[in-house]
Amino acid sequence: MTINQRNEAKIMSKEAFQAVGLKWEGTFAEAGAGGIRAIHRMLQERLPEIPYAIHTDTLLGLSYHAFPDGEGFIHYGVVEVERIEEIPAGMVSLSVPALTYAACEHSRQHSIEQSYNNIYSWIHEQGYTEYNPDHLTHFEKYPMSQDPYADNPEFIIMIPVQTDQAGK
């Protein structure tokens, strides 16, 4: 079956921010088996413990390649915070620099794999290059109220890019 799917993409910037939440590390197969979903559910349950949380209606999923070209990666299920003074037990904090992203919405009726293929194709068609500070490969924004175990989640895909191409 061929999937004919369009994802409208755009360039957007996000200022540097700090976040607090949970860390997961594993393989792509373990992620596919639900490992990340469990972290997202735990973050939803523990959200009231996070001091100075802002934008609490949005769960941020940040993925970093643990080893470039490897089988594993690190994923953080976090919420943005105004400042970091104390970190709840078992949680971590991280800082993300100001970045420019290629972004698109992934809808329930779409294929997740195709949404990612579409955004990466769009990045290359526009002449942009992927930019992975500290090995950050992608960033997803989920509605905090969404069930992490839903078969067809909705979220926004954000890929860090460099847009200052010569001749553009």
Side-chain angles (χ1 to χ4, degrees), residues 49-60:
E49 298 175 38
I50 302 174
Y52 310 110
I54 56 175
H55 311 300
T56 56
D57 58 338
T58 304
L59 187 154
L60 307 177

Side-chain angles (χ1 to χ4, degrees), residues 29-79:
E30 291 167 337
I36 289 174
R37 293 172 187 235
I39 289 297
H40 287 189
R41 170 71 81 219
M42 193 179 306
L43 180 71
Q44 289 171 327
E45 293 168 359
R46 296 189 61 194
L47 184 61
E49 298 175 38
I50 302 174
Y52 310 110
I54 56 175
H55 311 300
T56 56
D57 58 338
T58 304
L59 187 154
L60 307 177
L62 291 101
S63 292
Y64 294 77
H65 276 293
F67 303 101
D69 301 321
E71 293 290 316
F73 68 104
I74 298 169
H75 179 86
Y76 296 93
V78 298
V79 65

Side-chain angles (χ1 to χ4, degrees), residues 15-16 23 25 55 66 73 78 89 98 112 128-129 131 134-135 141 144 150 152 154:
E15 293 299 319
K23 178 181 178 181
E25 186 167 0
H55 311 300
F73 68 104
V78 298
I112 294 172
Y128 302 137
T129 54
Y131 176 59
D134 301 320
H135 303 290
K141 295 170 76 171
M144 185 65 75
N152 300 310
E154 289 185 321

